[in-house]
Coordinates of all heavy atoms in Angstrom, one line a residue:
M131 N 3.6 -22.1 4.5 CA 4.8 -22.1 5.3 C 5.2 -23.6 5.5 O 4.3 -24.4 5.9 CB 4.6 -21.4 6.7 CG 5.8 -21.6 7.6 SD 5.7 -20.6 9.1 CE 3.9 -20.7 9.6
A132 N 6.5 -24.0 5.2 CA 6.9 -25.4 5.4 C 6.9 -25.7 7.0 O 7.1 -24.9 7.7 CB 8.3 -25.5 5.0
G133 N 6.7 -27.0 7.3 CA 6.6 -27.4 8.7 C 7.9 -27.2 9.5 O 7.9 -26.9 10.7
S134 N 9.0 -27.1 8.7 CA 10.4 -26.9 9.4 C 10.5 -25.5 9.7 O 11.6 -25.2 10.3 CB 11.4 -27.5 8.5 OG 11.5 -26.8 7.3
E135 N 9.8 -24.6 9.1 CA 10.1 -23.2 9.4 C 9.5 -22.7 10.7 O 8.6 -23.1 11.1 CB 9.3 -22.3 8.2 CG 9.8 -22.5 6.8 CD 11.2 -21.9 6.6 OE1 11.5 -20.9 7.3 OE2 12.0 -22.3 5.8
E136 N 10.3 -21.7 11.2 CA 10.1 -21.2 12.5 C 8.8 -20.2 12.4 O 8.6 -19.8 11.2 CB 11.1 -20.5 13.2 CG 11.5 -19.3 12.3 CD 12.8 -18.6 12.9 OE1 12.8 -18.1 14.0 OE2 14.0 -18.6 12.3
Q137 N 8.1 -20.1 13.4 CA 7.1 -19.0 13.4 C 7.7 -17.7 14.2 O 8.3 -17.9 15.1 CB 5.9 -19.3 14.1 CG 5.2 -20.5 13.2 CD 3.8 -20.8 13.8 OE1 3.6 -20.7 15.1 NE2 3.0 -21.5 13.2
I138 N 7.5 -16.5 13.5 CA 8.1 -15.3 14.1 C 6.8 -14.6 14.6 O 6.0 -14.0 13.6 CB 8.9 -14.5 13.1 CG1 10.1 -15.4 12.7 CG2 9.3 -13.2 13.8 CD1 10.9 -15.0 11.5
V139 N 6.6 -14.3 15.8 CA 5.4 -13.6 16.3 C 5.8 -12.2 16.3 O 6.6 -11.9 17.1 CB 4.9 -14.2 17.6 CG1 3.6 -13.4 18.1 CG2 4.4 -15.6 17.4
V140 N 4.9 -11.2 15.8 CA 5.2 -9.9 15.8 C 4.0 -9.2 16.4 O 2.8 -9.4 15.9 CB 5.5 -9.2 14.4 CG1 5.7 -7.7 14.6 CG2 6.8 -9.8 14.0
H141 N 4.1 -8.4 17.5 CA 3.1 -7.7 18.1 C 3.0 -6.3 17.4 O 3.9 -5.5 17.5 CB 3.2 -7.6 19.6 CG 3.3 -9.0 20.3 ND1 2.2 -9.6 20.7 CD2 4.2 -9.7 20.5 CE1 2.5 -10.8 21.2 NE2 3.8 -10.9 21.1
V142 N 1.8 -6.1 16.7 CA 1.7 -4.8 16.2 C 0.8 -3.8 16.8 O -0.1 -4.2 17.7 CB 1.2 -4.9 14.7 CG1 2.3 -5.7 13.9 CG2 -0.2 -5.5 14.6
D143 N 0.8 -2.6 16.7 CA 0.0 -1.6 17.3 C -1.4 -1.9 16.9 O -1.7 -2.1 15.6 CB 0.4 -0.2 16.7 CG -0.3 0.9 17.4 OD1 -1.6 0.8 17.5 OD2 0.2 1.9 17.6
P144 N -2.3 -2.0 17.8 CA -3.8 -2.3 17.4 C -4.3 -1.3 16.4 O -5.2 -1.6 15.7 CB -4.5 -2.1 18.8 CG -3.4 -2.5 19.9 CD -2.1 -1.8 19.3
D145 N -3.8 -0.1 16.5 CA -4.4 0.8 15.4 C -3.9 0.5 14.1 O -4.5 1.0 13.1 CB -4.0 2.3 15.8 CG -4.6 2.8 17.1 OD1 -5.8 2.4 17.5 OD2 -4.0 3.7 17.7
L146 N -2.9 -0.2 13.9 CA -2.4 -0.6 12.6 C -2.8 -2.1 12.2 O -2.6 -2.4 10.9 CB -0.9 -0.4 12.6 CG -0.2 0.8 12.8 CD1 1.3 0.7 13.0 CD2 -0.6 1.8 11.9
K147 N -3.3 -2.7 13.0 CA -3.6 -4.2 12.7 C -4.4 -4.4 11.5 O -4.0 -5.4 10.7 CB -4.1 -4.8 13.9 CG -4.0 -6.4 14.0 CD -4.5 -6.9 15.3 CE -4.0 -8.5 15.3 NZ -4.3 -8.9 16.7
E148 N -5.3 -3.6 11.2 CA -6.3 -3.8 10.0 C -5.5 -3.6 8.7 O -5.9 -4.1 7.7 CB -7.5 -3.1 10.0 CG -7.3 -1.6 9.9 CD -8.7 -0.8 10.1 OE1 -9.3 -0.7 9.0 OE2 -8.9 -0.4 11.2
F149 N -4.3 -2.9 8.8 CA -3.6 -2.6 7.6 C -2.4 -3.4 7.4 O -1.7 -3.3 6.2 CB -3.2 -1.0 7.6 CG -4.3 -0.1 7.8 CD1 -4.5 0.5 9.2 CD2 -5.2 0.2 6.9 CE1 -5.5 1.4 9.4 CE2 -6.2 1.0 7.0 CZ -6.4 1.6 8.3
V150 N -2.1 -4.2 8.4 CA -0.8 -5.0 8.3 C -0.7 -6.0 7.2 O 0.2 -6.1 6.5 CB -0.6 -5.7 9.7 CG1 0.6 -6.7 9.6 CG2 -0.2 -4.6 10.7
S151 N -1.8 -6.6 6.9 CA -1.9 -7.6 5.7 C -1.5 -6.9 4.4 O -0.8 -7.4 3.6 CB -3.1 -8.4 5.7 OG -4.2 -7.6 5.5
E152 N -2.1 -5.7 4.2 CA -1.7 -5.0 3.1 C -0.2 -4.6 3.0 O 0.4 -4.7 2.0 CB -2.7 -3.7 2.9 CG -2.2 -2.9 1.7 CD -3.2 -1.7 1.4 OE1 -4.2 -1.7 2.2 OE2 -2.8 -0.8 0.8
F153 N 0.3 -4.2 4.0 CA 1.7 -3.7 4.1 C 2.5 -4.9 3.9 O 3.5 -4.9 3.1 CB 2.1 -3.2 5.6 CG 3.5 -3.0 5.9 CD1 4.1 -1.9 5.4 CD2 4.2 -4.1 6.6 CE1 5.5 -1.8 5.6 CE2 5.6 -3.9 6.7 CZ 6.2 -2.8 6.3
L154 N 2.3 -6.1 4.5 CA 3.0 -7.4 4.2 C 3.0 -7.9 2.8 O 3.9 -8.4 2.1 CB 2.6 -8.5 5.1 CG 3.0 -8.1 6.6 CD1 2.5 -9.3 7.6 CD2 4.6 -7.9 6.8
G155 N 1.8 -7.8 2.2 CA 1.5 -8.0 0.8 C 2.3 -7.2 -0.1 O 2.9 -7.8 -1.0
R156 N 2.5 -5.8 0.3 CA 3.4 -5.0 -0.6 C 4.8 -5.5 -0.4 O 5.6 -5.3 -1.3 CB 3.3 -3.6 -0.1 CG 1.9 -3.0 -1.0 CD 1.9 -1.6 -0.7 NE 0.9 -1.4 0.5 CZ 1.2 -0.6 1.5 NH1 2.3 0.1 1.6 NH2 0.4 -0.7 2.5
R157 N 5.2 -6.0 0.8 CA 6.7 -6.4 0.9 C 6.9 -7.7 0.1 O 8.0 -7.9 -0.5 CB 6.9 -6.8 2.4 CG 6.8 -5.6 3.4 CD 7.5 -4.3 3.1 NE 7.3 -3.6 1.9 CZ 6.3 -2.7 1.7 NH1 5.5 -2.3 2.8 NH2 6.2 -2.0 0.5
Q158 N 5.8 -8.6 -0.1 CA 6.0 -9.7 -1.1 C 6.2 -9.3 -2.4 O 6.9 -9.9 -3.2 CB 4.7 -10.6 -1.0 CG 4.4 -11.3 0.4 CD 5.4 -12.5 0.4 OE1 6.1 -12.8 -0.4 NE2 5.2 -13.2 1.6
E159 N 5.5 -8.2 -2.8 CA 5.7 -7.4 -4.2 C 7.2 -7.1 -4.3 O 7.8 -7.2 -5.3 CB 4.8 -6.5 -4.5 CG 3.2 -7.0 -4.5 CD 2.3 -5.8 -4.7 OE1 2.7 -4.6 -4.6 OE2 1.1 -6.0 -4.7
D160 N 7.7 -6.5 -3.2 CA 9.1 -6.0 -3.1 C 10.1 -7.2 -3.4 O 11.1 -7.0 -4.0 CB 9.3 -5.4 -1.7 CG 8.7 -4.1 -1.7 OD1 8.3 -3.5 -2.6 OD2 8.7 -3.6 -0.5
V161 N 9.8 -8.4 -2.9 CA 10.7 -9.5 -3.1 C 10.9 -9.8 -4.6 O 11.9 -9.9 -5.2 CB 10.1 -10.7 -2.3 CG1 10.9 -12.1 -2.8 CG2 10.2 -10.7 -0.9
L162 N 9.6 -9.7 -5.3 CA 9.6 -10.0 -6.7 C 10.5 -8.8 -7.5 O 11.2 -9.1 -8.3 CB 8.2 -10.1 -7.3 CG 7.4 -11.3 -6.7 CD1 6.0 -11.1 -7.2 CD2 8.0 -12.5 -7.1
A163 N 10.2 -7.6 -7.1 CA 10.9 -6.6 -7.7 C 12.4 -6.5 -7.4 O 13.1 -6.3 -8.3 CB 10.3 -5.1 -7.2
L164 N 12.6 -7.0 -6.2 CA 14.2 -7.1 -5.9 C 14.9 -8.3 -6.8 O 15.9 -8.1 -7.3 CB 14.4 -7.5 -4.3 CG 14.2 -6.3 -3.4 CD1 13.9 -6.9 -2.0 CD2 15.4 -5.4 -3.5
R165 N 14.2 -9.3 -6.9 CA 14.7 -10.4 -7.9 C 14.9 -9.9 -9.2 O 15.8 -10.2 -9.9 CB 13.8 -11.6 -7.6 CG 14.0 -12.4 -6.3 CD 13.2 -13.5 -6.1 NE 13.5 -14.1 -4.7 CZ 12.7 -15.0 -4.2 NH1 11.4 -15.1 -4.5 NH2 13.1 -15.4 -2.9
E166 N 13.9 -9.2 -9.7 CA 13.8 -8.6 -11.1 C 15.0 -7.8 -11.3 O 15.7 -7.7 -12.2 CB 12.6 -8.1 -11.5 CG 11.5 -9.1 -11.5 CD 10.1 -8.6 -11.8 OE1 10.0 -7.2 -11.8 OE2 9.1 -9.4 -12.0
A167 N 15.2 -6.8 -10.2 CA 16.2 -5.7 -10.4 C 17.6 -6.4 -10.3 O 18.5 -6.0 -10.9 CB 16.1 -4.8 -9.3
R168 N 17.7 -7.5 -9.5 CA 18.9 -8.2 -9.3 C 19.4 -8.8 -10.7 O 20.5 -8.7 -11.2 CB 19.0 -9.1 -8.3 CG 20.4 -10.0 -8.1 CD 20.3 -11.0 -7.1 NE 21.5 -11.8 -7.1 CZ 21.7 -12.8 -7.9 NH1 20.7 -13.3 -8.8 NH2 22.9 -13.5 -7.9
D169 N 18.4 -9.5 -11.3 CA 18.6 -10.0 -12.6 C 19.1 -9.1 -13.7 O 19.8 -9.5 -14.5 CB 17.4 -10.8 -13.1 CG 17.0 -12.1 -12.3 OD1 17.8 -12.4 -11.5 OD2 15.8 -12.5 -12.5
R170 N 18.7 -7.9 -13.5 CA 19.1 -6.7 -14.5 C 20.3 -6.0 -13.9 O 20.8 -5.0 -14.5 CB 18.0 -5.6 -14.5 CG 16.7 -6.1 -15.3 CD 15.7 -4.9 -15.5 NE 15.6 -4.1 -14.5 CZ 14.7 -4.1 -13.4 NH1 13.9 -5.2 -13.4 NH2 14.7 -3.2 -12.4
A171 N 20.8 -6.4 -12.7 CA 21.9 -5.8 -12.1 C 21.6 -4.2 -11.9 O 22.4 -3.3 -12.1 CB 23.3 -5.9 -12.8
D172 N 20.4 -3.9 -11.6 CA 19.8 -2.5 -11.4 C 20.0 -2.1 -10.0 O 19.2 -2.2 -9.0 CB 18.4 -2.3 -11.8 CG 17.8 -1.0 -11.7 OD1 18.5 -0.1 -11.1 OD2 16.8 -0.8 -12.3
W173 N 21.3 -1.9 -9.5 CA 21.7 -1.5 -8.2 C 20.9 -0.3 -7.7 O 20.5 -0.3 -6.5 CB 23.3 -1.4 -8.1 CG 24.0 -2.4 -8.8 CD1 24.8 -2.4 -9.7 CD2 23.9 -3.9 -8.4 NE1 25.3 -3.5 -10.0 CE2 24.8 -4.6 -9.3 CE3 23.2 -4.6 -7.6 CZ2 24.9 -5.9 -9.3 CZ3 23.4 -6.0 -7.5 CH2 24.3 -6.6 -8.4
E174 N 20.6 0.7 -8.4 CA 19.9 1.8 -7.9 C 18.5 1.5 -7.4 O 17.9 1.9 -6.4 CB 19.8 2.9 -9.0 CG 19.2 4.2 -8.5 CD 19.7 4.8 -7.2 OE1 20.9 4.6 -6.9 OE2 18.9 5.5 -6.6
A175 N 17.8 0.6 -8.3 CA 16.4 0.2 -7.8 C 16.5 -0.7 -6.6 O 15.6 -0.5 -5.7 CB 15.7 -0.7 -9.1
I176 N 17.5 -1.5 -6.5 CA 17.7 -2.3 -5.2 C 18.0 -1.4 -4.1 O 17.4 -1.7 -2.9 CB 18.7 -3.4 -5.4 CG1 18.4 -4.4 -6.5 CG2 19.1 -4.1 -4.1 CD1 19.5 -5.3 -7.0
R177 N 18.9 -0.4 -4.2 CA 19.1 0.5 -3.3 C 17.9 1.2 -2.7 O 17.6 1.4 -1.5 CB 20.2 1.6 -3.6 CG 20.7 2.4 -2.5 CD 21.4 3.6 -3.0 NE 20.5 4.6 -3.7 CZ 19.5 5.4 -3.1 NH1 19.2 5.3 -1.8 NH2 18.6 6.1 -3.9
R178 N 17.0 1.6 -3.7 CA 15.8 2.5 -3.3 C 14.9 1.7 -2.6 O 14.2 2.0 -1.6 CB 15.1 3.0 -4.6 CG 15.8 4.3 -5.2 CD 15.0 4.9 -6.1 NE 14.4 4.1 -7.2 CZ 15.0 3.8 -8.3 NH1 16.1 4.3 -8.7 NH2 14.3 3.0 -9.2
L179 N 14.7 0.3 -3.1 CA 13.8 -0.7 -2.4 C 14.3 -0.9 -1.0 O 13.7 -1.1 0.1 CB 13.6 -1.8 -3.2 CG 12.8 -1.8 -4.4 CD1 13.0 -3.2 -5.2 CD2 11.3 -1.8 -3.9
G180 N 15.7 -1.2 -0.8 CA 16.2 -1.4 0.5 C 16.0 -0.2 1.5 O 15.8 -0.3 2.6
H181 N 16.2 1.0 0.9 CA 15.9 2.2 1.6 C 14.5 2.3 2.1 O 14.2 2.7 3.2 CB 16.4 3.5 0.7 CG 16.2 4.7 1.4 ND1 17.2 5.2 2.4 CD2 15.3 5.7 1.6 CE1 16.9 6.3 2.9 NE2 15.6 6.6 2.5
R182 N 13.5 1.9 1.2 CA 12.2 2.1 1.6 C 11.9 1.0 2.8 O 11.2 1.2 3.7 CB 11.2 1.9 0.4 CG 9.8 2.0 0.7 CD 9.0 2.1 -0.4 NE 9.0 0.7 -1.1 CZ 8.8 0.4 -2.4 NH1 8.6 1.4 -3.3 NH2 8.7 -0.8 -2.8
L183 N 12.4 -0.2 2.5 CA 12.2 -1.2 3.6 C 12.8 -0.9 4.9 O 12.2 -1.0 6.0 CB 13.0 -2.5 3.2 CG 12.2 -3.3 1.9 CD1 13.1 -4.4 1.4 CD2 10.9 -3.8 2.4
R184 N 13.9 -0.2 4.9 CA 14.6 0.1 6.0 C 13.8 1.4 6.8 O 13.7 1.3 8.0 CB 16.1 0.8 5.8 CG 16.8 1.1 7.0 CD 18.2 1.8 6.5 NE 17.9 3.0 5.9 CZ 18.7 4.1 5.9 NH1 19.9 3.9 6.4 NH2 18.4 5.2 5.3
G185 N 13.3 2.1 6.1 CA 12.4 3.2 6.6 C 11.1 2.9 7.1 O 10.5 3.5 8.0
S186 N 10.5 1.8 6.6 CA 9.1 1.4 6.9 C 9.0 0.3 7.9 O 7.9 0.3 8.6 CB 8.4 1.1 5.6 OG 8.8 0.0 5.0
G187 N 9.8 -0.6 8.0 CA 9.7 -1.8 8.7 C 9.5 -1.5 10.2 O 8.4 -1.9 10.8
G188 N 10.3 -0.8 10.8 CA 10.2 -0.4 12.2 C 8.9 0.3 12.6 O 8.4 0.0 13.7
G189 N 8.5 1.1 11.8 CA 7.3 1.9 12.1 C 6.1 1.1 12.1 O 5.1 1.5 12.8
W190 N 6.1 0.0 11.5 CA 5.0 -1.0 11.5 C 5.2 -2.1 12.5 O 4.3 -2.9 12.7 CB 4.8 -1.6 10.1 CG 4.3 -0.7 9.1 CD1 4.8 0.2 8.3 CD2 2.8 -0.7 8.8 NE1 3.9 0.9 7.6 CE2 2.6 0.4 7.8 CE3 1.6 -1.3 9.2 CZ2 1.6 0.7 7.2 CZ3 0.6 -1.0 8.6 CH2 0.4 0.1 7.7
G191 N 6.3 -2.1 13.2 CA 6.7 -3.1 14.2 C 7.5 -4.2 13.7 O 7.6 -5.3 14.4
F192 N 7.9 -4.1 12.4 CA 8.8 -5.2 11.9 C 10.2 -4.8 11.7 O 10.7 -4.4 10.7 CB 8.2 -5.5 10.4 CG 6.8 -6.0 10.5 CD1 5.7 -5.2 10.3 CD2 6.5 -7.3 10.8 CE1 4.5 -5.6 10.2 CE2 5.2 -7.7 10.9 CZ 4.0 -6.8 10.6
D193 N 10.9 -4.8 12.9 CA 12.3 -4.4 12.9 C 13.2 -5.2 12.0 O 14.2 -4.8 11.4 CB 12.8 -4.5 14.3 CG 12.2 -3.4 15.2 OD1 11.8 -2.5 14.8 OD2 12.1 -3.7 16.5
A194 N 12.9 -6.4 11.7 CA 13.6 -7.4 10.9 C 13.7 -6.7 9.5 O 14.5 -6.9 8.8 CB 13.3 -8.9 10.9
I195 N 12.5 -6.3 9.1 CA 12.4 -5.8 7.6 C 13.3 -4.4 7.6 O 14.0 -4.2 6.5 CB 10.9 -5.4 7.3 CG1 10.1 -6.7 7.2 CG2 10.8 -4.6 6.1 CD1 8.6 -6.4 7.0
T196 N 13.4 -3.8 8.7 CA 14.3 -2.6 8.7 C 15.8 -3.0 8.5 O 16.5 -2.5 7.8 CB 14.2 -1.7 10.0 OG1 12.9 -1.1 10.0 CG2 15.1 -0.7 10.1
D197 N 16.1 -4.0 9.3 CA 17.5 -4.6 9.3 C 17.8 -5.2 7.8 O 18.8 -4.9 7.2 CB 17.7 -5.8 10.2 CG 17.6 -5.1 11.7 OD1 17.8 -4.0 11.8 OD2 17.4 -6.0 12.5
I198 N 16.9 -5.9 7.2 CA 17.0 -6.5 5.9 C 17.1 -5.4 4.8 O 18.0 -5.4 3.9 CB 15.9 -7.4 5.6 CG1 15.9 -8.6 6.4 CG2 15.9 -7.8 4.0 CD1 14.7 -9.6 6.4
G199 N 16.4 -4.3 5.1 CA 16.5 -3.2 4.1 C 17.9 -2.5 4.0 O 18.4 -2.2 3.1
R200 N 18.4 -2.3 5.3 CA 19.7 -1.8 5.5 C 20.8 -2.7 4.7 O 21.6 -2.1 4.1 CB 20.1 -1.6 6.9 CG 21.3 -1.0 7.3 CD 21.7 -0.8 8.7 NE 21.4 -1.9 9.5 CZ 22.1 -3.1 9.7 NH1 23.4 -3.2 9.1 NH2 21.7 -4.1 10.5
H201 N 20.7 -3.9 4.9 CA 21.7 -4.8 4.2 C 21.5 -4.8 2.7 O 22.5 -4.8 2.1 CB 21.4 -6.3 4.8 CG 22.0 -6.5 6.2 ND1 23.2 -6.4 6.4 CD2 21.3 -6.7 7.3 CE1 23.5 -6.6 7.8 NE2 22.1 -6.8 8.3
L202 N 20.2 -4.7 2.3 CA 20.0 -4.7 0.9 C 20.5 -3.3 0.3 O 21.2 -3.3 -0.7 CB 18.4 -4.7 0.5 CG 17.9 -6.1 0.7 CD1 16.4 -6.1 0.7 CD2 18.4 -6.9 -0.6
E203 N 20.3 -2.3 1.1 CA 20.9 -1.0 0.7 C 22.4 -0.9 0.4 O 22.9 -0.5 -0.5 CB 20.4 0.1 1.6 CG 20.3 1.5 1.1 CD 19.7 2.5 2.1 OE1 19.4 2.1 3.2 OE2 19.6 3.6 1.7
D204 N 23.0 -1.6 1.5 CA 24.5 -1.7 1.5 C 24.9 -2.6 0.3 O 26.0 -2.3 -0.3 CB 24.9 -2.2 2.9 CG 24.8 -1.2 4.1 OD1 24.6 -0.1 3.8 OD2 24.9 -1.8 5.2
A205 N 24.3 -3.7 0.1 CA 24.7 -4.7 -0.8 C 24.6 -3.9 -2.3 O 25.3 -4.1 -3.1 CB 23.9 -5.9 -0.8
A206 N 23.5 -3.2 -2.4 CA 23.3 -2.5 -3.7 C 24.4 -1.5 -4.1 O 24.9 -1.3 -5.1 CB 21.9 -1.8 -3.8
R207 N 24.7 -0.7 -3.0 CA 25.8 0.3 -3.0 C 27.1 -0.4 -3.5 O 27.9 0.1 -4.2 CB 26.0 1.1 -1.8 CG 25.0 2.1 -1.5 CD 25.4 3.1 -0.4 NE 24.4 3.8 0.0 CZ 23.6 3.7 1.1 NH1 24.0 2.8 2.0 NH2 22.6 4.6 1.4
A208 N 27.4 -1.7 -3.0 CA 28.7 -2.4 -3.3 C 28.5 -3.2 -4.5 O 29.5 -3.7 -5.1 CB 29.0 -3.3 -2.1
G209 N 27.2 -3.2 -5.2 CA 27.1 -4.0 -6.5 C 27.3 -5.5 -6.1 O 27.7 -6.2 -7.0
D210 N 26.9 -5.8 -4.9 CA 27.2 -7.2 -4.6 C 25.9 -8.1 -4.6 O 25.0 -8.1 -4.0 CB 27.5 -7.3 -3.0 CG 27.9 -8.7 -2.5 OD1 27.6 -9.7 -3.2 OD2 28.5 -8.7 -1.4
G211 N 25.8 -8.7 -6.0 CA 24.6 -9.5 -6.4 C 24.3 -10.7 -5.5 O 23.2 -11.0 -5.0
G212 N 25.3 -11.2 -4.8 CA 25.3 -12.5 -3.9 C 24.7 -12.1 -2.7 O 23.8 -12.8 -2.2
A213 N 25.0 -10.9 -2.1 CA 24.4 -10.5 -0.9 C 23.0 -9.9 -1.2 O 22.1 -10.4 -0.3 CB 25.2 -9.3 -0.3
V214 N 22.7 -9.4 -2.3 CA 21.4 -9.0 -2.6 C 20.5 -10.2 -2.7 O 19.3 -10.2 -2.2 CB 21.3 -8.2 -4.0 CG1 19.8 -8.0 -4.4 CG2 21.9 -6.8 -3.8
H215 N 20.9 -11.3 -3.4 CA 20.2 -12.5 -3.4 C 20.0 -13.1 -2.0 O 18.9 -13.4 -1.7 CB 21.1 -13.6 -4.1 CG 20.5 -14.9 -4.3 ND1 19.4 -15.2 -5.2 CD2 20.7 -16.1 -3.8 CE1 19.1 -16.5 -5.0 NE2 19.9 -17.0 -4.2
E216 N 20.8 -13.1 -1.1 CA 20.8 -13.7 0.2 C 19.8 -12.8 1.1 O 18.9 -13.4 1.7 CB 22.2 -13.7 0.9 CG 23.1 -14.8 0.4 CD 24.4 -14.6 1.1 OE1 24.4 -14.2 2.3 OE2 25.5 -15.0 0.6
W217 N 19.8 -11.6 1.0 CA 19.0 -10.8 1.8 C 17.6 -10.7 1.2 O 16.6 -10.6 1.9 CB 19.7 -9.4 1.9 CG 20.7 -9.4 3.0 CD1 22.0 -9.3 2.6 CD2 20.6 -9.6 4.3 NE1 22.8 -9.4 3.8 CE2 22.0 -9.7 4.8 CE3 19.6 -9.9 5.2 CZ2 22.2 -9.9 6.3 CZ3 19.8 -10.2 6.5 CH2 21.2 -10.0 7.0
T218 N 17.5 -10.8 -0.1 CA 16.0 -11.0 -0.8 C 15.5 -12.3 -0.3 O 14.2 -12.3 0.1 CB 16.1 -10.9 -2.3 OG1 16.8 -9.6 -2.6 CG2 14.8 -11.0 -2.9
N219 N 16.2 -13.4 -0.3 CA 15.8 -14.6 0.2 C 15.4 -14.6 1.7 O 14.4 -15.2 2.1 CB 16.7 -15.7 -0.1 CG 16.8 -16.1 -1.5 OD1 15.9 -15.8 -2.3 ND2 17.8 -16.9 -1.9
E220 N 16.2 -13.8 2.5 CA 15.8 -13.7 3.9 C 14.5 -13.0 4.1 O 13.8 -13.2 5.0 CB 17.0 -12.9 4.7 CG 16.8 -12.8 6.1 CD 16.6 -13.9 7.0 OE1 16.8 -15.1 6.4 OE2 16.0 -13.8 8.0
L221 N 14.4 -11.9 3.3 CA 13.1 -11.2 3.3 C 11.9 -12.1 3.1 O 10.9 -12.1 3.8 CB 13.0 -10.0 2.4 CG 11.8 -9.1 2.3 CD1 11.4 -8.5 3.6 CD2 11.9 -8.0 1.3
A222 N 12.1 -12.8 2.0 CA 10.9 -13.9 1.6 C 10.8 -14.8 2.8 O 9.6 -15.2 3.1 CB 11.3 -14.6 0.4
R223 N 11.9 -15.4 3.4 CA 11.6 -16.4 4.4 C 11.0 -15.7 5.6 O 10.1 -16.2 6.2 CB 13.0 -16.8 4.9 CG 13.0 -17.8 6.0 CD 14.4 -18.0 6.7 NE 14.7 -16.9 7.5 CZ 14.0 -16.6 8.8 NH1 13.0 -17.3 9.2 NH2 14.4 -15.6 9.5
Y224 N 11.4 -14.5 6.0 CA 10.8 -13.8 7.1 C 9.3 -13.6 6.8 O 8.5 -13.9 7.8 CB 11.5 -12.4 7.1 CG 10.9 -11.6 8.4 CD1 11.2 -11.8 9.8 CD2 9.9 -10.6 8.0 CE1 10.5 -11.0 10.7 CE2 9.4 -9.8 9.0 CZ 9.7 -10.1 10.4 OH 9.0 -9.3 11.4
L225 N 8.8 -13.1 5.6 CA 7.5 -12.9 5.3 C 6.6 -14.1 5.5 O 5.5 -14.2 5.8 CB 7.4 -12.2 4.0 CG 8.0 -10.8 3.9 CD1 8.0 -10.4 2.4 CD2 7.1 -9.9 4.8
G226 N 7.4 -15.3 5.0 CA 6.7 -16.6 5.2 C 6.4 -17.2 6.6 O 5.6 -18.1 6.8
C227 N 7.2 -16.5 7.6 CA 7.2 -17.1 8.8 C 6.5 -16.2 9.8 O 6.2 -16.6 11.0 CB 8.6 -17.2 9.4 SG 9.7 -18.5 8.6
V228 N 6.2 -14.9 9.5 CA 5.8 -13.9 10.5 C 4.2 -14.3 10.7 O 3.5 -14.5 9.9 CB 5.9 -12.4 9.9 CG1 5.0 -12.1 8.8 CG2 5.8 -11.6 11.2
I229 N 3.9 -14.1 12.1 CA 2.6 -14.3 12.5 C 2.2 -13.0 13.2 O 3.0 -12.5 14.0 CB 2.5 -15.5 13.6 CG1 3.0 -16.6 12.9 CG2 1.0 -15.6 14.2 CD1 2.1 -17.5 12.1
I230 N 1.0 -12.4 12.9 CA 0.7 -11.1 13.6 C -0.2 -11.5 14.9 O -1.0 -12.1 14.9 CB -0.2 -10.4 12.7 CG1 0.6 -10.1 11.3 CG2 -0.5 -9.0 13.3 CD1 1.9 -9.7 11.5
A231 N 0.4 -10.8 16.0 CA -0.4 -10.9 17.3 C -0.8 -9.5 17.7 O -0.4 -8.4 17.3 CB 0.5 -11.5 18.3

């Protein structure tokens, strides 16, 4: 994380804490998959990934991931590559700033 980046502290359910790093690692993989799908203009793959993010983020205590997923899903439906790029970058930025408490 760059020194100028903010830290985002997320309090997670103690029962989930041991699994959170794996969950976040999979979201890093999603960033790569989103970028690849955008390069192919595969809007359906982006929509599915956005839908999955929207559905899983809040359950783990990461409401921002839910919001980003919703925006990605909407951008994919609209075929808006610029918005997909922005929201994918926002997901990557968020993942780089999040601290688990």
Side-chain angles (χ1 to χ4, degrees):
M131 171 172 46
S134 64
E135 291 291 327
E136 66 181 292
Q137 291 182 343
I138 301 168
V139 178
V140 176
H141 298 275
V142 298
D143 183 319
D145 293 335
L146 299 175
K147 200 167 190 174
E148 69 181 276
F149 304 106
V150 168
S151 64
E152 182 180 336
F153 172 79
L154 293 174
R156 281 187 263 130
R157 302 304 62 88
Q158 291 285 3
E159 293 171 6
D160 288 342
V161 169
L162 297 174
L164 285 161
R165 288 179 175 152
E166 290 171 0
R168 181 183 172 271
D169 290 346
R170 295 187 315 270
D172 187 345
W173 308 121
E174 181 58 22
I176 295 165
R177 189 201 61 76
R178 283 192 314 268
L179 282 163
H181 184 78
R182 187 172 68 210
L183 290 167
R184 186 183 66 153
S186 66
W190 285 84
F192 299 98
D193 293 334
I195 292 177
T196 293
D197 292 340
I198 292 166
R200 179 176 45 81
H201 288 291
L202 283 164
E203 203 174 4
D204 291 344
R207 282 191 189 109
D210 186 344
V214 169
H215 178 74
E216 289 177 28
W217 287 109
T218 300
N219 285 346
E220 178 59 20
L221 178 60
R223 185 202 66 78
Y224 176 82
L225 294 171
C227 294
V228 73
I229 306 273
I230 307 307

